[in-house]
């Protein structure tokens, strides 16, 4: 499970930072990739990575500002030419369906795969036996959401060695023990499955703020998250400016990460006015409050490890 930042700039593309998109690579977990936002030229950025567009299974849009969605029609269209046959689901605020369908319709784009566009509201937007994705409103002047991606715990494996040592032979009884049931064996012994199951693997949690003023809901989304990806459009001195433009500062992002008890903070949506040394400065500002802070750059990859 890795986060691969495809675009980390704010507002308009810059030479060193494209507009927003981040990929969550779930190749080991489900042989697919999820995208969060799809700014203009996201598909060009993908060309520089090992991501296969046909593997993109879901695209979550935080809000409908151009720097987060102008790349969507192109990517959705190209996926047809790149062997895409499987279902693609796009989630986003009200308006995403009209936007995407209008462009595809006006350009006579025919897709070779089923496309589902889901206009979301706060709450659970996706759940299966592996993952649960929750959206919450954030404060950005237009309808905007942050996301929490929670991997479900993986139950511990049955310890076959220990079972053999206890003289319990493989058979249907293994399944019962694996389910944690207490079983009476043919020889009359009673054994508890729980004694033969290893510890469960704790699921990982990722939170993505989208564009937002500092807000309580991001803290809720990031509660005990392994990693929080938070926008930091402004330096710490620009609190007022950040508030006026519905964005956050480095310090505000760090305050939220700290309050949420997150494991790691990754700053993104960084204005082109910050280059080289001044980016290090931004990271220092965040670190002053939350030591495990870093700033994303285009193609920065972060492995989400189990805590
Ligand atoms: Zn933006
Ligand atoms: Zn925005």
């Amino acid at each position: 499970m890795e986060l691969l930042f495809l675009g980390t700039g704010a507002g308009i593309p810059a030479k060193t930072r494209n507009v927003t998109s981040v990929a969550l690579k779930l190749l080991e977990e489900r042989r697919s990739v999820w995208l969060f936002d799809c700014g203009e030229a996201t598909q060009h950025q993908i060309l520089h990575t090992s991501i296969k567009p046909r593997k993109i299974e879901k695209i979550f849009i935080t809000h409908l500002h151009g720097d987060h969605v102008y790349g969507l029609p192109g990517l959705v269209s190209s996926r047809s030419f790149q062997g895409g046959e499987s279902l693609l689901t796009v989630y986003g605020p009200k308006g995403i369906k009209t936007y995407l369908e209008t462009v595809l319709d006006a350009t006579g784009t025919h897709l070779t795969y089923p496309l589902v566009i889901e206009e979301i509201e706060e709450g659970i937007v996706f759940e299966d036996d592996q993952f649960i994705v929750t959206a919450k409103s954030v404060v950005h002047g237009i309808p905007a959401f942050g996301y929490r991606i929670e991997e479900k715990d993986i139950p511990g494996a049955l310890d076959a060695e220990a079972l053999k040592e206890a003289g319990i032979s493989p058979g249907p009884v293994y399944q019962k023990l694996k389910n944690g049931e207490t079983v009476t064996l043919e020889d009359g012994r009673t054994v508890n499955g729980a004694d033969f199951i290893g510890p469960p693997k704790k699921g990982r949690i990722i939170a993505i703020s989208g564009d937002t003023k500092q807000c309580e809901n991001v803290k809720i989304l990031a509660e005990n998250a392994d990693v929080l990806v938070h926008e930091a459009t402004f330096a710490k001195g620009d609190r007022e400016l950040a508030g006026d433009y519905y964005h956050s500062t480095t310090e505000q992002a760090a305050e939220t990460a700290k309050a949420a008890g997150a494991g790691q903070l990754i700053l993104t949506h960084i204005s082109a006015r910050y280059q080289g040394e001044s980016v290090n400065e931004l990271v220092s500002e965040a670190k002053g409050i939350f030591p495990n802070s870093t700033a994303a750059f285009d193609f920065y990859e972060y492995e989400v490890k189990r805590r």
Side-chain angles (χ1 to χ4, degrees), residues 167-199:
I168 304 166
S169 329
V173 70
Y174 270 37
Q175 187 56 48
K176 287 185 180 166
L177 292 170
K178 200 178 172 195
N179 296 341
E181 293 173 34
T182 299
V183 178
T184 306
L185 303 172
E186 279 175 15
D187 61 14
R189 279 187 293 160
T190 302
V191 289
N192 183 353
D195 297 337
F196 296 95
I197 298 171

Coordinates of all heavy atoms in Angstrom, one line a residue, residues 167-199:
G167 N -1.2 -32.7 17.7 CA -1.7 -33.9 17.1 C -3.1 -33.8 16.5 O -3.9 -34.7 16.5
I168 N -3.4 -32.6 16.0 CA -4.7 -32.3 15.3 C -4.4 -32.3 13.8 O -3.7 -31.5 13.3 CB -5.3 -31.0 15.8 CG1 -5.4 -31.0 17.3 CG2 -6.6 -30.8 15.1 CD1 -5.7 -29.6 17.9
S169 N -5.0 -33.3 13.1 CA -4.7 -33.5 11.7 C -5.6 -32.6 10.9 O -6.7 -32.3 11.3 CB -4.9 -34.9 11.2 OG -4.6 -35.8 12.3
P170 N -5.1 -32.2 9.7 CA -5.9 -31.3 8.8 C -7.2 -31.9 8.5 O -7.3 -33.2 8.3 CB -5.0 -31.1 7.6 CG -3.6 -31.5 8.0 CD -3.8 -32.5 9.1
G171 N -8.2 -31.1 8.3 CA -9.5 -31.6 8.0 C -10.5 -30.5 8.2 O -10.1 -29.4 8.5
P172 N -11.8 -30.9 8.1 CA -12.8 -29.8 8.3 C -12.7 -29.1 9.6 O -13.2 -27.9 9.7 CB -14.1 -30.6 8.2 CG -13.8 -31.9 7.5 CD -12.4 -32.2 7.8
V173 N -12.1 -29.7 10.6 CA -12.0 -29.1 11.9 C -11.2 -27.9 11.9 O -11.4 -26.9 12.6 CB -11.4 -30.2 12.9 CG1 -10.0 -30.5 12.6 CG2 -11.6 -29.7 14.3
Y174 N -10.2 -27.8 10.9 CA -9.4 -26.6 10.8 C -10.2 -25.4 10.5 O -9.9 -24.3 11.0 CB -8.3 -26.8 9.6 CG -7.0 -27.5 10.1 CD1 -7.0 -28.4 11.1 CD2 -5.8 -27.1 9.5 CE1 -5.8 -29.0 11.5 CE2 -4.6 -27.6 9.9 CZ -4.6 -28.6 10.9 OH -3.5 -29.2 11.3
Q175 N -11.2 -25.5 9.7 CA -12.0 -24.3 9.3 C -12.7 -23.8 10.6 O -12.8 -22.6 10.8 CB -13.0 -24.7 8.2 CG -13.8 -23.5 7.7 CD -12.9 -22.3 7.2 OE1 -12.0 -22.6 6.4 NE2 -13.2 -21.1 7.6
K176 N -13.2 -24.8 11.4 CA -13.9 -24.4 12.6 C -13.0 -23.7 13.6 O -13.3 -22.7 14.2 CB -14.5 -25.6 13.3 CG -15.8 -26.1 12.5 CD -16.4 -27.3 13.3 CE -17.6 -27.8 12.5 NZ -18.1 -29.1 13.0
L177 N -11.8 -24.2 13.7 CA -10.8 -23.6 14.6 C -10.4 -22.2 14.1 O -10.2 -21.3 14.8 CB -9.6 -24.5 14.7 CG -9.8 -25.8 15.4 CD1 -8.6 -26.8 15.3 CD2 -10.1 -25.6 16.9
K178 N -10.3 -22.1 12.8 CA -10.0 -20.9 12.1 C -11.0 -19.8 12.5 O -10.7 -18.6 12.6 CB -9.8 -21.0 10.6 CG -9.0 -19.9 10.0 CD -8.9 -20.1 8.5 CE -8.2 -18.8 8.0 NZ -8.3 -18.7 6.5
N179 N -12.3 -20.3 12.6 CA -13.4 -19.3 12.9 C -13.4 -19.0 14.4 O -14.3 -18.3 14.8 CB -14.7 -19.9 12.5 CG -14.8 -20.1 11.0 OD1 -14.1 -19.5 10.2 ND2 -15.7 -21.0 10.6
G180 N -12.4 -19.6 15.1 CA -12.3 -19.3 16.5 C -13.3 -20.1 17.4 O -13.5 -19.8 18.6
E181 N -13.8 -21.2 16.8 CA -14.8 -22.0 17.5 C -14.1 -23.0 18.5 O -12.9 -23.3 18.2 CB -15.7 -22.8 16.5 CG -16.6 -22.0 15.7 CD -17.3 -22.8 14.6 OE1 -17.6 -24.0 14.8 OE2 -17.5 -22.2 13.5
T182 N -14.8 -23.4 19.5 CA -14.3 -24.5 20.4 C -14.9 -25.8 19.9 O -16.0 -25.9 19.6 CB -14.8 -24.2 21.8 OG1 -14.2 -23.0 22.2 CG2 -14.3 -25.3 22.8
V183 N -13.9 -26.7 19.7 CA -14.3 -28.0 19.0 C -14.0 -29.2 19.8 O -12.9 -29.2 20.5 CB -13.5 -28.1 17.6 CG1 -13.8 -29.4 16.9 CG2 -13.8 -26.9 16.8
T184 N -14.8 -30.2 19.8 CA -14.5 -31.4 20.5 C -14.0 -32.4 19.5 O -14.7 -32.7 18.5 CB -15.8 -32.0 21.2 OG1 -16.3 -31.0 22.1 CG2 -15.4 -33.3 22.0
L185 N -12.8 -32.9 19.7 CA -12.1 -33.8 18.7 C -12.7 -35.2 18.9 O -13.3 -35.5 19.9 CB -10.6 -33.7 18.9 CG -10.0 -32.4 18.8 CD1 -8.5 -32.4 19.2 CD2 -10.1 -31.8 17.4
E186 N -12.3 -36.1 17.9 CA -12.8 -37.5 18.0 C -12.2 -38.2 19.2 O -12.9 -39.1 19.7 CB -12.3 -38.2 16.7 CG -13.2 -37.9 15.5 CD -12.7 -38.6 14.2 OE1 -11.8 -39.4 14.3 OE2 -13.3 -38.2 13.2
D187 N -11.0 -37.8 19.6 CA -10.4 -38.4 20.8 C -11.0 -37.8 22.1 O -10.5 -38.2 23.2 CB -8.9 -38.3 20.8 CG -8.4 -36.9 20.8 OD1 -9.2 -36.0 21.1 OD2 -7.2 -36.6 20.5
G188 N -11.9 -37.0 22.0 CA -12.6 -36.5 23.2 C -12.1 -35.2 23.8 O -12.7 -34.5 24.6
R189 N -10.9 -34.7 23.2 CA -10.3 -33.5 23.7 C -11.1 -32.3 23.2 O -11.7 -32.3 22.1 CB -8.9 -33.3 23.1 CG -7.8 -34.1 23.9 CD -6.4 -33.7 23.4 NE -6.2 -34.2 22.0 CZ -5.3 -33.7 21.2 NH1 -4.5 -32.7 21.6 NH2 -5.1 -34.2 20.0
T190 N -11.2 -31.3 24.0 CA -11.8 -30.0 23.6 C -10.8 -29.0 23.4 O -9.9 -28.7 24.2 CB -12.8 -29.5 24.7 OG1 -13.7 -30.6 24.9 CG2 -13.6 -28.3 24.3
V191 N -10.8 -28.4 22.2 CA -9.8 -27.4 21.9 C -10.4 -26.1 21.4 O -11.5 -26.1 20.7 CB -8.7 -27.8 20.8 CG1 -7.8 -28.9 21.4 CG2 -9.4 -28.3 19.6
N192 N -9.8 -25.0 21.8 CA -10.3 -23.7 21.4 C -9.5 -23.1 20.2 O -8.3 -23.0 20.3 CB -10.2 -22.8 22.7 CG -10.8 -21.4 22.4 OD1 -11.2 -21.1 21.3 ND2 -10.8 -20.6 23.4
G193 N -10.2 -22.8 19.2 CA -9.6 -22.2 18.0 C -8.7 -21.0 18.3 O -7.6 -20.9 17.7
A194 N -9.2 -20.2 19.2 CA -8.4 -19.0 19.5 C -7.0 -19.2 19.9 O -6.1 -18.4 19.7 CB -9.2 -18.2 20.6
D195 N -6.7 -20.5 20.5 CA -5.4 -20.8 20.9 C -4.5 -21.1 19.8 O -3.2 -21.2 19.9 CB -5.4 -22.0 21.8 CG -6.2 -21.8 23.1 OD1 -6.3 -20.6 23.5 OD2 -6.7 -22.7 23.7
F196 N -5.0 -21.2 18.6 CA -4.2 -21.6 17.4 C -4.2 -20.5 16.3 O -3.8 -20.8 15.2 CB -4.7 -22.9 16.8 CG -4.5 -24.1 17.8 CD1 -5.5 -24.5 18.6 CD2 -3.3 -24.7 17.9 CE1 -5.4 -25.5 19.5 CE2 -3.1 -25.8 18.8 CZ -4.1 -26.2 19.6
I197 N -4.7 -19.4 16.7 CA -4.8 -18.3 15.7 C -3.8 -17.2 16.1 O -3.7 -16.8 17.2 CB -6.2 -17.7 15.6 CG1 -7.2 -18.8 15.1 CG2 -6.2 -16.5 14.6 CD1 -8.6 -18.4 15.2
G198 N -3.0 -16.8 15.1 CA -2.0 -15.7 15.3 C -2.7 -14.4 15.5 O -3.9 -14.3 15.3
P199 N -2.0 -13.4 15.9 CA -2.6 -12.1 16.1 C -3.1 -11.5 14.8 O -2.5 -11.7 13.8 CB -1.5 -11.2 16.7 CG -0.2 -11.9 16.3 CD -0.5 -13.3 16.1

